[in-house]
Amino acid sequence: MAVEGHTLEFCLAEEADFEEVMSISGDVYGGIDYLPARYHAWIQDSVRRVILAKKKGQIVALVSVNIVDDGHTAVVEGLRVAPLERGKGIAGLIQGYSLNLVKDQFPEVKVRRYVRSGQLAPEILTKFRLICKQEILSVQFKAEDIRPKLEAAFTWLKESGKQWEDPVLLGASEAKRLFLSQRVVDEVLPGKAIIQDWVPYKPLESNLEKLVSQDFIWMADDKEEPTVLSLGTAPYRVPLGTGYHRLNIDIFGKQFPRARNQFLAQLQQRVSTLEGPIYCLLYFEPSIWQDMLSFCQTTLELHKDRDFGGQNLLEADM
Ligand SMILES: CC(C)(COP(=O)(O)OP(=O)(O)OC[C@H]1O[C@@H](n2cnc3c(N)ncnc32)[C@H](O)[C@@H]1OP(=O)(O)O)[C@@H](O)C(=O)NCCC(=O)NCCS
């Protein structure tokens, strides 16, 4: 394939490409890029393809396609094009190449899914089905500064009778049982999806098996009849600054007080073992945006860091 007269070559990413991939990723997601933390595991994963585009031997783009949902869904992730090469159609070309490769190697795949941030242009909705939308609140703090604020928030909520109920920590088998239960799937999960740090999974036994084997924190407001559940991904380092960790907390459910309680309990678990600066991304139901924002601002003295314009789960047929 040719871009501006130069041939574009495609290949699978290897360990030795890491530094060069990082060199084209400097501005990606404003310093909170997850790829440095995931690259090494991604290229080892047998149900994932990490594809590079090269021009005159230099890496100019990367995309990854992850096969989930019993082999029926291709999740497209990590797309990036070198800054000087943007606007030339390379993102479209590398995605086209990767989807053809996936069709060849994983013929069972029926749909492709993307989780994209921001307002969607109307033409996107002519190409994709919008499955669901979550809000994103991003806040920054130091672990040592947030610990006393959390303690104060717990005390205040418990004493003021503001609908505090201790969230329940779920073990692997409880998390599987609850996230697979039909009521949770129909009434709690957005678009019947479990979104874990931007990766959408259908509530299927095989996905849950994979998810519960990782270092995640699973919580619910109730072990029998949950109305709010949450999933905290293990913190990982990001390029934003020295010692920065990124923390992702996905919350599912529509009731603000219970979602707030999950947020506080997830945060408390993580910051008890962390030090230094943290960039925390909290994902939740759009209808509770204002309540969550006000709570963070007034009680925790945390301020929205940047506006991501929401998280959209999109789907199209292969
Ligand atoms: C977004 C980005 C990859 C676009 O690269 P580009 O080469 O300038 O884009 P193109 O010239 O190919 O034009 C747009 C094409 O990319 C696709 N695209 C644009 N943004 C996209 C996104 N966020 N996710 C998936 N595809 C995207 C468009 O659908 C279009 O494809 P089409 O030609 O099949 O319709 C590039 O600006 C970039 O690397 N930004 C920083 C990283 C980033 O934000 N990545 C996206 C989030 S995963």
Side-chain angles (χ1 to χ4, degrees):
M1 285 176 190
V3 174
E4 291 187 344
H6 297 292
T7 308
L8 214 52
E9 285 164 0
F10 300 99
C11 62
L12 291 181
E14 293 177 4
E15 194 63 46
D17 297 312
F18 179 72
E19 292 302 334
E20 204 182 338
V21 167
M22 292 306 120
S23 75
I24 67 158
S25 304
D27 68 336
V28 174
Y29 312 128
I32 56 162
D33 187 13
Y34 52 74
L35 191 62
R38 303 222 172 121
Y39 183 86
H40 305 288
W42 274 15
I43 60 172
Q44 303 290 338
D45 189 343
S46 61
V47 290
R48 180 188 285 278
R49 297 291 176 267
V50 184
I51 293 121
L52 301 177
K54 291 187 178 178
K55 203 164 120 181
K56 293 200 263 176
Q58 305 272 303
I59 296 172
V60 291
L62 173 145
V63 75
S64 168
V65 188
N66 181 19
I67 310 301
V68 300
D69 302 344
D70 290 335
H72 294 141
T73 306
V75 178
V76 181
E77 291 176 86
L79 177 67
R80 69 224 28 231
V81 170
L84 294 176
E85 299 291 341
R86 292 178 192 160
K88 302 176 184 174
I90 294 180
L93 292 175
I94 193 173
Q95 290 190 89
Y97 175 87
S98 306
L99 293 173
N100 282 333
L101 181 108
V102 163
K103 274 186 208 165
D104 250 23
Q105 297 186 356
F106 301 92
E108 300 283 286
V109 170
K110 300 201 167 43
V111 294
R112 57 200 158 101
R113 286 184 153 197
Y114 304 76
V115 182
R116 279 198 203 177
S117 63
Q119 278 301 113
L120 296 173
E123 61 268 24
I124 296 275
L125 297 174
T126 63
K127 294 185 192 167
F128 297 100
R129 299 182 281 279
L130 176 62
I131 305 295
C132 64
K133 186 170 176 125
Q134 290 274 86
E135 255 315 337
I136 309 173
L137 179 58
S138 64
V139 287
Q140 285 196 57
F141 48 81
K142 283 195 172 147
E144 46 280 28
D145 295 341
I146 199 76
R147 282 195 285 263
K149 289 182 186 170
L150 279 174
E151 284 310 321
F154 285 126
T155 307
W156 174 70
L157 285 168
K158 285 173 189 169
E159 284 174 0
S160 64
K162 288 210 179 286
Q163 301 176 36
W164 176 263
E165 279 168 42
D166 283 321
V168 224
L169 205 54
L170 304 174
S173 60
E174 288 162 335
K176 272 165 63 177
R177 175 175 60 82
L178 291 185
F179 276 85
L180 291 172
S181 88
Q182 203 55 50
R183 200 188 55 79
V184 167
V185 173
D186 292 340
E187 296 173 19
V188 183
L189 296 181
K192 300 184 195 289
I194 304 167
I195 307 179
Q196 178 263 321
D197 188 5
W198 296 85
V199 190
Y201 295 91
K202 289 187 180 162
L204 298 170
E205 185 84 33
S206 59
N207 287 336
L208 262 304
E209 202 55 60
K210 195 167 160 182
L211 288 169
V212 296
S213 70
Q214 299 180 58
D215 179 19
F216 298 153
I217 294 176
W218 301 82
M219 283 187 186
D221 58 345
D222 186 273
K223 269 189 190 173
E224 297 314 317
E225 293 284 309
T227 56
V228 176
L229 297 106
S230 63
L231 176 47
T233 301
Y236 49 87
R237 290 198 185 265
V238 283
L240 189 60
T242 314
Y244 255 93
H245 281 94
R246 171 169 161 180
L247 197 56
N248 295 273
I249 303 172
D250 289 284
I251 299 180
F252 314 113
K254 299 182 178 63
Q255 296 186 30
F256 165 69
R258 288 161 186 254
R260 173 202 61 201
N261 297 351
Q262 299 275 314
F263 167 47
L264 293 175
Q266 286 271 0
L267 200 52
Q268 190 190 37
Q269 288 270 328
R270 289 301 185 192
V271 297
S272 65
T273 57
L274 282 174
E275 286 302 325
I278 295 176
Y279 196 101
C280 177
L281 289 159
L282 183 63
Y283 312 89
F284 51 87
E285 155 70 32
S287 62
I288 61 173
W289 165 256
Q290 201 50 53
D291 286 331
M292 197 64 103
L293 180 66
S294 307
F295 174 76
C296 284
Q297 287 172 338
T298 51
T299 311
L300 297 177
E301 296 166 328
L302 294 175
H303 299 283
K304 185 177 78 170
D305 185 72
R306 65 182 96 164
D307 193 354
F308 285 89
Q311 184 186 53
N312 306 284
L313 170 53
L314 299 167
E315 184 182 88
D317 296 331
M318 274 305 270

